[in-house]
């Protein structure tokens, strides 16, 4: 959505959901009415064997456990969004299969809901990512350090006592430092990410069961499955457990995307 209204009300968002209830796993796509036809065609093109049908609103919350048996939270990125998460090409592992294995372990008394809410990102997100890559290159060439590395180490101080100062001519002859393999891979990964459309994404998980201990066990399996998206070099997900269950359930039901 473009124009004046999008600046005030924000972009429309879609919700793709994986739900487990009554011992079965379902896939849902919750979209605005005006986008139903577009999303239907996109899903049919990507998954020709999929059968799409309109259904009533679903619920994953247990009538036995109620609020005491409900737990959940949200996933956020560990680093700046410029750094990509691990993809199948990098990890060589099917993260979706691990996620389905964690969900399929739920019993008929358990309810699991994974919401993936997306909306188009602002136009300036790619410029910020490119600036991040350029900063890595400039900091390396200038020898600039940030954080703890900006201060002199004890070894540097001891060397300064006996090492003669270098002349300006000698410094000018020094060649600019080149990126190491890890830094070069980070720059390439960030630049490669800007080739694709950017979206703001909110991943929310809700688990409901007869008892709180059962819900916690199911949630741990789901959080562990998301660890396959973690990249040791670039980015990954961290899970934040919700302390307000009523707010979590309201956000889940109404699919709030702040």
């Amino acid at each position: 959505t473009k124009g004046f209204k999008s600046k005030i009300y924000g972009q429309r968002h879609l919700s793709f959901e994986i739900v487990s209830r009554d011992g079965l796993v379902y896939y849902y796509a919750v979209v605005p009415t005006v986008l139903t036809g577009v999303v239907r065609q996109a899903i049919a093109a990507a998954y020709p064997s999929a059968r799409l049908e309109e259904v009533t609103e679903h619920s994953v919350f247990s009538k036995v456990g109620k609020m005491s048996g409900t737990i959940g939270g949200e996933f956020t990125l560990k680093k700046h969004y410029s750094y990509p998460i691990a993809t199948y090409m990098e990890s060589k592992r099917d993260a979706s299969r691990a996620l389905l294995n964690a969900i399929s372990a739920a019993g008929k008394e358990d309810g699991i809901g994974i919401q993936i809410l997306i909306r188009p990102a602002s136009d300036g997100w790619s410029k910020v990512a490119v600036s991040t890559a350029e900063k890595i290159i400039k900091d390396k060439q200038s020898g600039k350090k940030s954080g703890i590395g900006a201060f002199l180490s004890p070894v540097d101080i001891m060397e300064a006592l006996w090492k003669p100062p270098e002349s300006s001519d000698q410094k000018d002859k020094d060649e600019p430092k080149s990126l190491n393999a890890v830094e070069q891979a980070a720059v390439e990964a960030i630049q490669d990410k800007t080739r694709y459309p950017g979206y703001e994404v909110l991943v929310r998980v809700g688990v409901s069961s007869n008892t709180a201990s059962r819900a916690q066990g199911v949630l741990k399996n789901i959080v562990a499955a998301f660890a396959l998206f973690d990249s040791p070099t670039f980015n990954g997900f961290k899970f934040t457990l919700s302390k307000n269950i009523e707010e979590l359930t309201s956000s889940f039901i109404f699919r709030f995307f702040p």
Side-chain angles (χ1 to χ4, degrees), residues 61-220:
F61 302 105
S62 173
K63 295 181 180 180
V64 178
K66 298 182 179 180
M67 284 296 180
S68 61
T70 303
I71 192 174
E74 298 177 353
F75 285 95
T76 55
L77 292 175
K78 295 180 179 179
K79 299 180 181 179
H80 191 265
Y81 66 80
S82 300
Y83 295 89
I85 60 176
T87 61
Y88 175 77
M89 297 299 295
E90 180 184 356
S91 63
K92 304 299 181 183
R93 293 176 294 179
D94 191 354
S96 62
R97 177 174 296 182
L99 187 59
L100 283 177
N101 289 339
I103 295 175
S104 60
K108 291 186 177 181
E109 72 280 1
D110 302 324
I112 303 173
I114 301 176
Q115 288 183 345
I116 304 176
L117 290 81
I118 67 171
R119 64 187 175 195
S122 59
D123 297 335
W125 80 270
S126 58
K127 295 181 180 179
V128 175
V130 171
S131 299
T132 302
E134 292 177 348
K135 186 176 185 300
I136 295 175
I137 299 174
K138 291 181 180 179
D139 290 350
K140 183 66 175 182
Q141 292 178 346
S142 62
K144 181 180 178 181
K145 297 182 179 179
S146 58
I148 299 177
F151 300 95
L152 291 175
S153 63
V155 176
D156 293 335
I157 297 176
M158 294 301 297
E159 287 184 353
L161 297 177
W162 57 268
K163 187 177 181 180
E166 296 181 354
S167 62
S168 58
D169 295 338
Q170 181 66 26
K171 292 182 179 180
D172 293 338
K173 293 180 182 179
D174 293 339
E175 297 181 356
K177 298 180 180 179
S178 58
L179 300 176
N180 57 37
V182 175
E183 293 167 338
Q184 184 64 35
V187 171
E188 293 177 355
I190 295 173
Q191 293 174 344
D192 184 68
K193 183 176 181 179
T194 59
R195 295 168 47 202
Y196 304 96
Y199 294 90
E200 296 178 358
V201 180
L202 174 61
V203 181
R204 182 182 292 125
V205 179
V207 178
S208 183
S209 187
N210 294 343
T211 61
S213 59
R214 172 61 181 172
Q216 291 175 359
V218 175
L219 180 62
K220 287 181 179 179

